[in-house]
Amino acid sequence: AETFALSPLEAAQDALRKVWGYPAFRGMQADIVEHVVAGGDALVLMPTGGGKSLCYQIPALVRPGVGIVVSPLIALMRDQVDALRQLGVRAAYLNSTLDWREAQEVERACERGDLDLLYVAPERLVTPRFLELLDRSRIALFALDEAHCVSQWGHDFRPEYLQLSILHEKFPDVPRVALTATADAQTRTDIAARLGLTDARLFLASFDRPNITYRILPKDQERRQLLDFLRRRPEDAGVVYCLSRGKVDAIAQYLAEQGVDALPYHAGLDPATRQANQDRFIKGEGVVMVATVAFGMGIDKPNVRFVVHMDPPRSLEAYYQETGRAGRDGLPAEALMLYGFADVVQMQMMVESSDSPPAFKRTERQKLEALLGFCETARCRRQTLLTYFDEEYPKPCGKCDTCFQPVETYDGTVVAQKALSAVYRTGQRFGVGHLVDVLRGVATDKVTEKGHDKLKTFGCGTELGKQEWHSVFRQLVANGLLCADPEGHGGLILTETATAVLKSQEVVRLRRDPAAEAKGKGKASW
Ligand code: ADP
Ligand code: ZN
């Protein structure tokens, strides 16, 4: 990097125009760049596609010395460095893919001052060898990309990140900029504390992704629902996320049989196939990638038109991050989630039966509650999502399923009491399928065998259909009245709050499921 005879901001704008060919900074970029060029620390929270890279790349050019970029995305380093070199920026990377000789050449260039930017993996950065190299080099700044990886509350925790606080101790005068696209208030505090960034200025960009339309549907023949969705946008490229590898394979095969240009992607595929599928998705037109969440972190394809979740994501952060891979080009994009009762139970079991320490479990439980609440909300999805990220969004967005089709809520106290007493009278051991049979008075073999056709609750709930009861049970779990018994193979048990409802001390408001309704009237909801 060289020094300019311009003010820092002018020098930065000059680089933006001459090197990148962009006319102006976007959003908070100018403020961040100015702050970092002046030597300040920064914590930058900006949504995916918001333009985080320039926030450290340009200061690295403007400030004397080399900008050290810590990134966990080894697979992307080469692409990023190639792109920078094309622009004439002197960039290089150090990671395990280089041989000894190549690495040495990069190190020499670094200490000679021949580099503007050096990308490095976190585990390498804290090695004595690399720290000595830093001692011998002039450093413009440290950029810590994907900074949420330092937090155990986040969803991509990387222990190596914890050691990055060493940078502050060893190089107190070098500005540091930590960047992430995903962090709730708790994770944010955690990042600042763990990276020693408590005095850093926080740059919090709006997390709204106005071009993404959010929809969440109860599962009801999920393959059919997926196919309907895809058939409506046959030209579009998108990602379909599934929880397990097995499901990825099955769905990809099913779609291919139905004539959809779909490919699987998960960590169990051999590397060559994985790479080939990824390349086809990125370079091809209208390819549908069926994948586990292993796919996507750092995949830079601007025209992903949709993201479908066949199973709910782990948390709202994960949902935001994963849906955020759609529409990075700013054009309209869709996010669709399908979720069913079994998913809710499974997720609860995962949290409750894990061996995590209590504090961790409490956080996980809160995150799950937030996710379920989001799925079951009658409010605008975007408002709910942004509120979760502590951002105010005063009016309903007009571009999500609950805005398109306002959800009716009703006094569901009696319905809830019926459901809860069915759980109670059957001994808090059964799953939703059986409970709904009991409520609707369906004398299956299991029902008669257990003598549940003799219960008072048998047949007391004929006013609702099967799907509607499923919706009620999901909401009772989401509202914390029922939970999955961690030892009970999906059996439901009452929580303490359920007692108040059973005693009519508390009113329960429920949403009427638009999908179940629409289905009854024979029309699709999208
Ligand atoms: P993030 O890392 O936040 O997901 P990127 O840094 O990859 O986002 O930027 C997203 C896209 O926006 C890139 O294609 C980038 O070149 C482009 N971009 C960023 N800043 C600007 C700007 N000021 N003017 C025009 N394009 C920009
Ligand atoms: Zn809305």
Side-chain angles (χ1 to χ4, degrees):
E2 59 183 289
T3 32
F4 293 74
L6 299 167
S7 81
L9 187 59
E10 284 167 342
Q13 271 159 348
D14 201 55
L16 179 71
R17 272 179 230 127
K18 291 202 180 123
V19 180
W20 275 269
Y22 297 147
F25 283 117
R26 268 194 206 155
M28 301 189 123
Q29 281 175 336
D31 289 345
I32 298 166
V33 166
E34 193 173 15
H35 179 74
V36 177
V37 169
D41 291 343
L43 175 53
V44 175
L45 279 93
M46 215 185 252
T48 306
K52 284 184 287 303
S53 321
L54 289 182
C55 298
Y56 57 83
Q57 288 169 344
I58 289 192
L61 290 191
V62 174
R63 285 177 64 85
V66 56
I68 307 291
V69 186
V70 184
S71 168
L73 307 173
I74 293 186
L76 288 185
M77 281 186 192
R78 178 200 287 268
D79 291 349
Q80 284 167 334
V81 165
D82 284 349
L84 285 166
R85 285 187 181 156
Q86 299 253 316
L87 299 172
V89 177
R90 300 172 305 168
Y93 61 90
L94 275 177
N95 65 33
S96 50
T97 67
L98 296 188
D99 65 31
W100 180 84
R101 197 173 298 276
E102 292 169 320
Q104 200 180 38
E105 247 165 61
V106 172
E107 287 170 4
R108 292 225 175 102
C110 181
E111 59 193 30
R112 275 200 311 265
D114 286 346
L115 288 180
D116 299 312
L117 282 159
L118 176 58
Y119 285 75
V120 59
E123 58 274 15
R124 186 160 193 128
L125 184 108
V126 293
T127 59
R129 182 184 172 98
F130 193 79
L131 291 172
E132 279 160 30
L133 173 68
L134 292 181
D135 275 330
R136 295 195 302 273
S137 311
R138 185 158 191 195
I139 311 166
L141 57 85
F142 291 110
L144 313 175
D145 207 3
E146 312 288 345
H148 61 279
C149 293
V150 77
S151 171
Q152 291 177 9
W153 307 129
H155 53 86
D156 287 310
F157 177 57
R158 314 247 171 159
E160 318 84 82
Y161 260 68
L162 290 173
Q163 295 174 37
L164 295 180
S165 58
I166 202 175
L167 295 176
H168 185 43
E169 290 148 28
K170 284 203 58 144
F171 307 96
D173 299 330
V174 177
R176 289 167 306 146
V177 44
L179 311 103
T180 175
T182 167
D184 54 24
Q186 190 182 20
T187 312
R188 213 180 296 156
T189 322
D190 209 29
I191 293 173
R194 286 169 189 266
L195 292 176
L197 281 168
T198 35
D199 293 331
R201 193 162 141 199
L202 174 67
F203 293 90
L204 186 58
S206 170
F207 270 61
D208 184 24
R209 296 289 310 278
N211 58 319
I212 300 180
T213 300
Y214 298 100
R215 285 191 174 87
I216 299 178
L217 284 179
K219 259 182 210 177
D220 170 27
Q221 298 184 311
E222 58 176 3
R223 292 184 173 199
R224 189 82 253 158
Q225 288 173 303
L226 174 63
L227 199 59
D228 282 350
F229 179 84
L230 297 178
R231 293 247 157 97
R232 279 157 204 261
R233 32 189 79 66
E235 311 286 315
D236 292 350
V239 183
V240 176
Y241 282 118
C242 305
L243 206 58
S244 70
R245 297 174 184 182
K247 185 159 169 182
V248 165
D249 289 332
I251 297 279
Q253 193 188 342
Y254 166 75
L255 291 179
E257 283 163 12
Q258 301 295 320
V260 178
D261 191 0
L263 295 169
Y265 186 102
H266 57 69
L269 294 174
D270 69 273
T273 310
R274 218 159 58 210
Q275 189 63 44
N277 289 359
Q278 174 173 328
D279 288 348
R280 265 217 61 215
F281 174 73
I282 288 175
K283 297 185 187 118
E285 299 276 324
V287 176
V288 175
M289 189 66 114
V290 186
T292 60
V293 289
F295 181 74
M297 196 174 176
I299 296 283
D300 192 6
K301 181 175 170 74
N303 61 340
V304 174
R305 290 273 66 83
F306 60 82
V307 168
V308 177
H309 282 92
M310 295 299 282
D311 306 296
R314 276 166 299 172
S315 63
L316 273 183
E317 283 93 339
Y319 175 77
Y320 179 82
Q321 177 98 341
E322 284 151 24
T323 54
R325 290 173 188 147
R328 287 181 69 163
D329 54 9
L331 297 173
E334 301 267 342
L336 171 68
M337 188 209 299
L338 301 177
Y339 93 122
F341 192 81
D343 299 316
V344 175
V345 169
Q346 197 190 354
M347 288 163 77
Q348 261 201 345
M349 303 262 285
M350 260 157 61
V351 171
E352 295 307 327
S353 62
S354 79
D355 305 324
S356 318
F360 198 86
K361 211 175 225 183
R362 210 171 311 127
T363 306
E364 294 198 314
R365 210 176 276 145
Q366 283 164 3
K367 285 186 184 284
L368 178 58
E369 275 164 23
L371 179 73
L372 296 180
F374 174 68
C375 293
E376 296 293 355
T377 188
R379 281 177 75 204
C380 165
R381 303 277 187 204
R382 193 180 312 271
Q383 270 187 319
T384 311
L385 192 59
L386 292 175
T387 307
Y388 181 73
F389 292 110
D390 293 318
E391 191 174 326
E392 276 187 45
Y393 194 93
K395 277 195 279 187
C397 74
K399 267 180 67 182
C400 70
D401 54 358
T402 47
C403 281
F404 290 138
Q405 198 177 11
V407 176
E408 212 187 301
T409 62
Y410 64 101
D411 183 342
T413 312
V414 173
V415 166
Q417 285 170 339
K418 289 180 181 178
L420 296 175
S421 67
V423 172
Y424 183 70
R425 288 177 193 276
T426 53
Q428 311 195 57
R429 275 184 289 135
F430 295 91
V432 71
H434 183 73
L435 293 165
V436 171
D437 285 338
V438 171
L439 284 159
R440 299 186 63 229
V442 183
T444 62
D445 290 349
K446 188 168 169 184
V447 169
T448 43
E449 184 192 314
K450 305 277 177 196
H452 290 163
D453 50 344
K454 309 281 188 314
L455 297 175
K456 241 174 84 186
T457 34
F458 182 75
C460 78
T462 47
E463 73 272 32
L464 296 184
K466 197 167 153 188
Q467 290 304 327
E468 289 163 311
W469 274 116
H470 276 251
S471 164
V472 169
F473 274 99
R474 272 199 327 266
Q475 295 184 65
L476 294 180
V477 173
N479 297 345
L481 296 170
L482 285 177
C483 68
D485 181 355
E487 271 111 55
H489 307 287
L492 289 172
I493 55 179
L494 302 177
T495 66
E496 268 170 44
T497 36
T499 321
V501 173
L502 280 168
K503 290 185 184 157
S504 295
Q505 289 162 344
E506 241 173 64
V507 171
V508 181
R509 289 211 70 82
L510 295 175
R511 55 176 263 155
R512 228 182 273 288
D513 236 318
E517 294 265 294
K519 197 172 167 255
K521 293 178 198 133
K523 67 168 195 244
S525 60
W526 37 266

